[in-house]
Amino acid sequence: MSDFEKRRARATALLREAGLGAAAFVPGPNFAYLTGVHLHLMERPTFYVLRADGHAFALMPALERQKWGEDMPDVQTFYWTDVEGPVAAFAELAKHMEIDGPCGVEGLRMRAAEYRTLSRLFGTDALQDADPILAELRLLKDATEIDDLRRAIEISEAALGETYDAGIFGQSERQIAARLKTALLSHGATGFAFDPIVLSGGAAANPHGDASERVVGAGDVLLIDFGASFGDMHADITRTVFCQHATDIHAQFYETVLEANRKGRAAVCAGAPIGAVDAAATDVLKASPFADKILHKTGHGLGREVHEAPVVVHTNNDPQRAGMVFTVEPGLYSQNDIGVRIEDNVVVTDTGHDCLTQFNRELMILE
């Protein structure tokens, strides 16, 4: 049985356990995870439908016939052309599916256009948000996914080192971001996990701020949140450094986040609650003089999407399981002054954890 067959078998088992008759997938991470086919989510309606008994159907634009037909020849597929439009193909799909139970949809990905069409064919009551069920599908990463993530991280760390070596003093945030992206591609990235966040000085206090023409000066902090893509996997790493010097209070600010990062990573262990990671890291921040500078939880799942299950927050009592991958990224943010975040990517193992990121976490002052 191939990896894709195993994944589809696991998906159908989840559907049966949830009482769903089928699930409809649009192009995206789940679609590619189950089929191995990468298609763009565009103006042409495209579906892969997996029934709970394992039978599969698809609605596909005719221009994808060769690609889809070669990779998924056993799927009963209804093609439509731009001239014909998708209505007749949708009707044929609905007629042949014969679903015994509700049809699950990807609540966070499916657009209103696809949802309305399915509603007209099956009725709104026959559709159910399956995201809570499907979250289990990709929760545990296999060996190939871990290998690709390791490679994405290796590329990311090499590119970050190269960017630091080129110097930051007198460079604008946008210049540094452009240099980083060039380095990522030159080291073998197949893309960017997301557009890098490069923020300096007081701007770093905005966790998801945008790079600007602001120039890095002496004493400024520089926060870089970024990641390479490799295969279908994405790295997500944050490091914070200082330009030429750091004040005593800024150094204390940094060391507090670093200790929170250490305690958070140490709490990663199969069998322990996922929320224990957030609690361990956040307790350090709350006990510090900077307790009022906390803005977010400690982490999130990572893999084919930059943010996916599980949610690393203290209220999550689900057990950590070998194969889970998530970020450990405590941070502190003082408005108009400084922001510090230290983010690592960690995989849960049978014996504890493996921190996939190795780039220096100690306080760094770039001359």
Side-chain angles (χ1 to χ4, degrees):
M1 183 181 287
S2 71
D3 287 344
F4 292 111
E5 290 170 330
K6 292 176 183 176
R7 292 170 182 176
R8 291 192 287 268
R10 192 162 66 251
T12 55
L14 290 171
L15 296 179
R16 291 193 296 271
E17 290 170 11
L20 295 177
F25 301 92
V26 295
N30 285 330
F31 188 106
Y33 184 77
L34 293 170
T35 68
V37 181
H38 295 79
L39 298 174
H40 296 295
L41 186 61
M42 52 185 178
E43 78 278 10
R44 298 180 176 91
T46 305
F47 284 99
Y48 172 70
V49 183
L50 185 62
R51 208 163 59 188
D53 63 2
H55 197 79
F57 306 85
L59 179 94
M60 197 67 49
L63 83 166
E64 305 290 6
R65 182 187 295 269
Q66 181 176 348
K67 182 176 185 177
W68 180 256
E70 289 177 352
D71 290 338
M72 301 295 289
D74 297 329
V75 174
Q76 190 172 359
T77 302
F78 303 92
Y79 293 99
W80 61 276
T81 67
D82 290 344
V83 174
E84 298 166 341
V87 175
F90 260 122
E92 285 297 307
L93 173 66
K95 183 171 68 176
H96 285 81
M97 279 174 55
E98 299 178 347
I99 299 175
D100 183 18
C103 180
V105 298
E106 299 172 285
L108 292 175
R109 178 160 294 272
M110 184 172 288
R111 301 171 299 187
E114 288 92 355
Y115 185 84
R116 285 197 301 267
T117 301
L118 290 178
S119 297
R120 286 195 296 269
L121 294 175
F122 302 114
T124 302
D125 291 342
L127 301 181
Q128 179 178 322
D129 181 3
D131 275 342
I133 300 157
L134 296 173
E136 175 70 22
L137 183 62
R138 303 191 338 257
L139 194 63
L140 306 183
K141 276 56 180 180
D142 59 33
T144 299
E145 290 176 307
I146 296 296
D147 286 345
D148 283 352
L149 182 55
R150 286 185 190 277
R151 183 64 184 130
I153 290 169
E154 289 171 359
I155 291 167
S156 302
E157 295 184 332
L160 183 61
E162 184 176 307
T163 301
Y164 284 165
D165 288 345
I168 62 172
F169 178 76
Q171 297 293 303
S172 74
E173 295 165 351
R174 286 178 180 160
Q175 286 174 318
I176 294 169
R179 183 189 302 152
L180 176 62
K181 288 192 278 191
T182 298
L184 287 166
L185 295 175
S186 69
H187 282 280
T190 55
F192 309 128
F194 51 92
D195 201 40
I197 298 170
V198 179
L199 303 169
S200 61
N206 181 355
H208 287 166
D210 297 317
S212 72
E213 294 300 328
R214 188 183 191 284
V215 173
V216 181
D220 278 344
V221 71
L222 177 67
L223 183 153
I224 298 181
D225 186 345
F226 75 113
S229 299
F230 187 82
D232 288 319
M233 303 298 281
H234 307 296
D236 186 7
I237 304 168
T238 308
R239 290 294 185 265
T240 308
V241 298
F242 292 88
C243 181
Q244 297 190 356
H245 65 84
T247 65
D248 289 344
I249 191 67
H250 282 178
Q252 183 184 5
F253 203 83
Y254 184 93
E255 293 294 342
T256 301
V257 177
L258 179 58
E259 181 61 16
N261 173 281
R262 290 187 184 120
K263 290 293 179 65
R265 286 185 286 117
V268 179
C269 180
I274 293 170
V277 178
D278 181 45
T282 304
D283 283 353
V284 173
L285 303 181
K286 287 181 176 178
S288 77
F290 313 111
D292 62 335
K293 308 303 182 185
I294 305 168
L295 293 182
H296 57 73
K297 63 184 184 297
T298 297
H300 54 81
L302 179 69
R304 290 169 180 261
E305 293 180 281
V306 177
H307 283 245
E308 58 184 42
V311 177
V312 184
V313 65
H314 71 277
T315 53
N316 188 346
N317 292 317
D318 292 340
Q320 299 177 44
R321 293 153 60 189
M324 286 183 175
V325 175
F326 42 77
T327 66
V328 177
E329 52 175 306
L332 290 172
Y333 308 90
S334 180
Q335 190 173 5
N336 299 320
D337 180 24
I338 184 176
V340 173
R341 185 164 64 253
I342 305 171
E343 179 179 18
D344 287 296
N345 304 162
V346 184
V347 58
V348 183
T349 67
D350 290 324
T351 57
H353 69 270
D354 183 3
C355 187
L356 304 177
T357 37
Q358 297 297 317
F359 201 93
N360 181 32
R361 302 176 193 87
E362 300 303 317
L363 190 150
M364 291 179 62
I365 297 177
L366 302 185
E367 298 297 336

